[in-house]
């Protein structure tokens, strides 16, 4: 399968714990995006990488959130000191320089 | 700011045609996308419009009018499997050249037998 993959698919954590998600984009794609989606809403942009450089961050991305793409391939999104409001589906997408973004299956986070 | 509006819900009958409208007010417009999302799954790409006019792809067509800030997705010969949320998204050119997508809240389409 050469699509975007994300791991884990589901994560349940207690409030205050740290969590880390991984995204493996389509191999030839140099652009990588993280989005967050809550029930009944469309995805909201969080951050963007071009190769290993993080070029944009949404104001939604508080200082508890950090993302990396160390070698311009896979990316990680870490949430520190999780809060119940962080419960959502976290989606990763990748694209080439053209236009279409391909989404991964998402990581569903539940903070109890 | 960015504002994208689409109806929350629509219902149609199998075999019929349905049109889902989307209006937007954005700056730095770089194209409009339609995605389909089944419950619990990731969005999947349906169509992309950057110039005015109609783009046809099989049973699905998408129309764009940039001057009116308006798009629609037309689904023909509806099938039960078309029951899903349809997301309108605008691609924006930003300072970091992200071309991030700004999504509407989605239109939940229910196809009835």
């Amino acid at each position: 399968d050469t699509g975007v993959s994300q791991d884990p698919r589901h994560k349940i954590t207690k409030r205050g714990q740290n969590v880390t998600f991984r995204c493996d984009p389509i191999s030839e794609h140099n652009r990588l995006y993280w989005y967050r989606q809550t029930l009944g809403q469309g995805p909201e942009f969080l951050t963007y990488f071009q190769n290993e450089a993080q070029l944009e961050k949404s104001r939604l991305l508080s200082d508890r959130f950090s993302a990396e793409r160390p070698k311009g391939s896979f990316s990680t999104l870490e949430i520190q000191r999780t809060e119940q409001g962080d419960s959502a589906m976290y989606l990763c997408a990748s694209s080439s320089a053209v236009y279409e973004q391909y989404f991964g299956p998402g990581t569903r986070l539940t903070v109890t | 700011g960015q504002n994208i509006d689409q109806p929350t819900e629509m219902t149609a009958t199998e075999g019929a045609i349905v049109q889902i409208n989307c209006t937007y007010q954005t700056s730095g417009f770089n194209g409009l996308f339609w995605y389909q999302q089944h419950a619990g799954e990731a969005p999947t790409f349906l169509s992309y419009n950057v110039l005015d006019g109609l783009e046809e792809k099989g049973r699905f067509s998408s129309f764009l009018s940039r001057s009116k800030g308006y798009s629609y997705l037309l689904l023909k010969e509806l099938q039960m499997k078309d029951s899903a949320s349809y997301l309108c998204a605008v691609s924006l050119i930003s300072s970091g050249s992200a071309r991030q997508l700004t999504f509407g809240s989605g239109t939940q389409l229910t196809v009835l037998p």
Side-chain angles (χ1 to χ4, degrees), chain B residues 21-33:
Chain B
N21 296 324
C22 172
T23 58
Y24 64 90
Q25 293 177 311
T26 65
S27 56
F29 179 84
N30 190 49
L32 189 138
F33 292 78

Side-chain angles (χ1 to χ4, degrees), chain B:
Chain B
Q2 324 297 342
N3 192 39
I4 300 175
D5 290 316
Q6 51 182 131
T8 303
E9 296 178 331
M10 296 185 72
T11 303
T13 305
E14 193 174 16
I17 299 173
V18 70
Q19 177 174 313
I20 303 174
N21 296 324
C22 172
T23 58
Y24 64 90
Q25 293 177 311
T26 65
S27 56
F29 179 84
N30 190 49
L32 189 138
F33 292 78
W34 284 94
Y35 280 82
Q36 180 192 61
Q37 187 175 29
H38 286 98
E41 298 182 9
T44 55
F45 171 80
L46 290 178
S47 69
Y48 170 65
N49 295 71
V50 65
L51 301 176
D52 291 352
L54 188 68
E55 294 284 339
E56 297 185 80
K57 186 186 289 188
R59 295 190 297 114
F60 294 0
S61 303
S62 57
F63 171 83
L64 175 67
S65 169
R66 289 172 297 170
S67 62
K68 296 181 179 178
Y70 168 68
S71 173
Y72 68 73
L73 179 70
L74 193 70
L75 293 77
K76 303 176 185 177
E77 301 170 11
L78 281 173
Q79 302 175 9
M80 299 297 289
K81 67 178 183 179
D82 297 329
S83 293
S85 180
Y86 291 85
L87 298 162
C88 172
V90 173
S91 175
L92 308 174
I93 298 177
S94 55
S95 58
S97 72
R99 300 191 179 181
Q100 67 197 63
L101 295 177
T102 298
F103 285 86
S105 296
T107 298
Q108 183 64 46
L109 174 67
T110 301
V111 180
L112 301 174

